[in-house]
Amino acid sequence: MADKKMIVETLFDAVDGQLAKADIERFIEKPKHTHLGDYAFPCFALAKIFRQSPTNIAKEVSEKMVNSIIEKVEAVGGYVNIFLKQSEISKTVLSNIVTFRSAYGQQEQGENQTITIDFSSPNIAKPFSMGHLRSTVIGNALANISEKNGYEVVRINHIGDWGTQFGKLIVAYHLWGKKELIEQSPVRELLKIYVKFHDEAERDDTLNDQARAAFKRLEQGDDEAMRLWHWFREASLKEFEQVYALLGIRFDSYAGEAFYNDKMNRIVDLLAEKELLEESDGAMVVNLENMPPCLIKKTDGTTLYATRDLAAALYRHETYKSEKSFYVVGNEQSLHFKQLFNVLEKIGYEWARELQHIPFGMMLKDGKKMSTRKGKVVLLAEVLDEAIELAEKNIEDKNPKLQHKEEIAKIVGTGAVIFHDLKNHRLNDIDFSLEEMLNFEGETGPYVQYTYARICSLLRKGQYNDQECKFEGLSEEAWPVIITLKEFPEVVTKAFELADPSQIAKHLIELSRAFNKYYAHTRILEEDATMQAKLTLCSSVAIVLKEGLRLLGIQAPEEM
């Protein structure tokens, strides 16, 4: 925000340029209590420079702090507490929101640049489980946040439609599959025979040999193997699309692993040309410093994930001319991506430095990782259906006369599931709990949505007209709301820089709490000289809540 930059400039002058502006900005804090100011600057880092106590330095610095947006400055201990001019800041913030509306907080740092985001990427012939939720909603939010920061975004669903699991499925289908059952319920039946394969393979290891042979036939283009593969793929994609439609998520590309079958030889040739390819126990590898070698081809000549991901990275860079690339994939793949980026740099691609793995924690069940092969899986579609059902029941109990109940229940139910994931820092593991996820009070999506719906109701009752907005006359109780609104553009930037959607989710909770506290102490619809200003504040909060939810991939219903 412009006011923070002005504070940095003023502090820079006040400390006689003895601290870099970037350091000053990093040191500036937001006090927990409003009576300690709007900004606080700790002077402890200056003690060695000026050879004085932080308390004395704070006193001297506070006396030099003169700025058009500063109301007063206090030296408390080793801190400089800065109070902003509330009326001036309020007018600036509210007029910006009213003017720009949903474009408020739009940044330009990615202007004329493209970013590719690889996310969701479920495996064909396996159900879309709760374990896939994290990559899907984190990736979608990061795509929205990247666009908000000015980037052109290419959303890529790198479908897991190749690999040894297809050898296992082909063998399992021949042994236990029934065509009519698979046609009725493709993914469920395919999962059933896939789990059975692993159970049987624990007792009969020859099944794994048969699976490897079946996959090799598939790689060689065997007609029967290819026919089964196409069938498995199309049936799964149709089922995945239903989940994506419910979550409101779209992709620009569904180019999965199989797409790169004819593009891997180029990578192998490049590695050989650069003399990076070496033989190791019959396999072909690239040796790397301080990490295990990157395996390019196995002893039987079949390819690996690394080969495909190298081909994918090169294809995407050449096709989309992307300046940055995000790979939204779980923590457990961290080594894989370190190897991948390292190999690309060894080839000589400088753009590999702009490839970024966006890791996240696991979705756990009873404290343990969900496993498809063991059948311990919670289907995302079933969780979403249950969330929507519970939302509809709550609406029926609290607002039975509400129109379009089914549509609103869908918005609230799916929003609850998405928000529950995104309010957590992505690196944390999340223990799957339907009860917690669907708690409609506290730090939840429905709480933020209800705050938005409440404001929409106030605006309707107050017959608010945004052409007649006013910015002056607000009470001091409105200041925490204004300050939180003011920070939204900064949060948008921070969420992108940290690749962390929880920055947005936490900000929306903070804004909702600040508004609800204001609402509890203010008669907004009282017809007095300040009513229009109060409604302008309400409208501004609604704009930011709606836009913040949109960035997370959640809709904001005007009634609940």
Side-chain angles (χ1 to χ4, degrees), residues 38 68-69 71 84-95 471-476 479 482:
D38 300 305
S68 61
I69 62 167
E71 184 70 42
L84 301 176
K85 288 182 177 176
Q86 294 188 7
S87 59
E88 191 170 319
I89 297 295
S90 296
K91 184 177 180 181
T92 302
V93 171
L94 295 180
S95 62
F471 310 119
E472 295 164 350
L474 291 168
S475 65
E476 199 168 324
W479 183 239
I482 298 287

Side-chain angles (χ1 to χ4, degrees), residues 158 257 260 263-264 267-268 271 284-286 288 292-298 302-314 327 333 335-341 343-344 347:
H158 188 71
E257 292 176 45
Y260 299 99
K263 298 170 179 62
M264 288 182 290
I267 287 292
V268 176
L271 292 170
M284 301 305 290
V285 305
V286 175
L288 303 169
C294 183
L295 195 55
I296 302 299
K297 275 192 173 183
K298 290 194 286 189
T302 54
T303 53
L304 289 104
Y305 287 122
T307 328
R308 294 172 187 283
D309 280 352
L310 288 166
L314 184 55
Y327 292 81
Q333 293 297 318
L335 175 61
H336 167 75
F337 285 104
K338 283 177 185 173
Q339 292 175 316
L340 181 74
F341 303 157
V343 171
L344 287 167
I347 293 173

Side-chain angles (χ1 to χ4, degrees), residues 53-281:
S53 71
T55 302
N56 287 341
I57 295 170
K59 188 173 183 298
E60 288 182 15
V61 169
S62 66
E63 290 169 357
K64 297 178 184 177
M65 294 287 292
V66 179
N67 190 299
S68 61
I69 62 167
I70 294 176
E71 184 70 42
K72 66 175 180 175
V73 182
E74 293 178 349
V76 179
Y79 285 84
V80 176
N81 292 341
I82 303 161
F83 296 79
L84 301 176
K85 288 182 177 176
Q86 294 188 7
S87 59
E88 191 170 319
I89 297 295
S90 296
K91 184 177 180 181
T92 302
V93 171
L94 295 180
S95 62
N96 279 340
I97 297 172
V98 168
T99 301
F100 294 106
R101 301 193 66 79
S102 62
Y104 177 65
Q106 183 71 32
Q107 307 296 312
E108 297 178 358
Q109 69 185 81
E111 196 171 9
N112 300 320
Q113 295 183 59
T114 299
I115 182 169
T116 60
I117 304 185
D118 177 331
F119 67 103
S120 192
S121 309
N123 288 321
I124 292 299
K126 294 182 185 177
F128 206 121
S129 73
M130 282 300 295
H132 296 103
L133 176 71
R134 303 222 65 198
S135 174
T136 304
V137 298
I138 292 170
N140 185 57
L142 286 178
N144 294 334
I145 291 165
S146 299
E147 286 174 337
K148 189 75 172 175
N149 278 274
Y151 287 89
E152 182 82 24
V153 176
V154 181
R155 295 163 161 83
I156 299 171
N157 196 343
H158 188 71
I159 295 288
D161 60 358
W162 204 251
T164 53
Q165 74 266 27
F166 286 96
K168 294 173 184 179
L169 268 172
I170 289 167
V171 172
Y173 175 70
H174 284 309
L175 289 172
W176 311 293
K178 294 182 179 177
K179 187 179 179 184
E180 62 277 11
L181 290 179
I182 291 173
E183 285 176 341
Q184 287 170 19
S185 184
V187 176
R188 280 183 183 279
E189 287 302 315
L190 290 171
L191 174 64
K192 192 183 292 182
I193 63 172
Y194 182 76
V195 171
K196 186 174 177 62
F197 177 93
H198 280 277
D199 288 342
E200 295 296 327
E202 285 181 5
R203 293 185 286 272
D204 180 4
D205 193 52
T206 62
L207 286 172
N208 287 317
D209 295 331
Q210 291 177 48
R212 281 188 283 271
F215 178 55
K216 191 156 189 179
R217 289 199 304 275
L218 182 61
E219 284 211 307
Q220 291 167 344
D222 176 80
D223 286 345
E224 196 258 356
M226 288 296 292
R227 180 181 59 78
L228 287 176
W229 175 79
H230 276 292
W231 180 32
F232 297 158
R233 189 180 192 276
E234 292 310 308
S236 298
L237 278 177
K238 196 174 289 185
E239 203 161 305
F240 294 162
E241 277 295 342
Q242 293 172 3
V243 176
Y244 292 134
L246 195 55
L247 291 171
I249 291 173
R250 65 177 178 82
F251 293 94
D252 300 301
S253 167
Y254 279 90
E257 292 176 45
F259 178 77
Y260 299 99
N261 277 347
D262 62 351
K263 298 170 179 62
M264 288 182 290
N265 285 341
R266 180 185 174 191
I267 287 292
V268 176
D269 291 344
L270 266 171
L271 292 170
E273 182 186 314
K274 297 281 182 178
E275 298 182 347
L276 295 170
L277 210 55
E278 298 180 30
E279 188 178 330
S280 176
D281 296 329

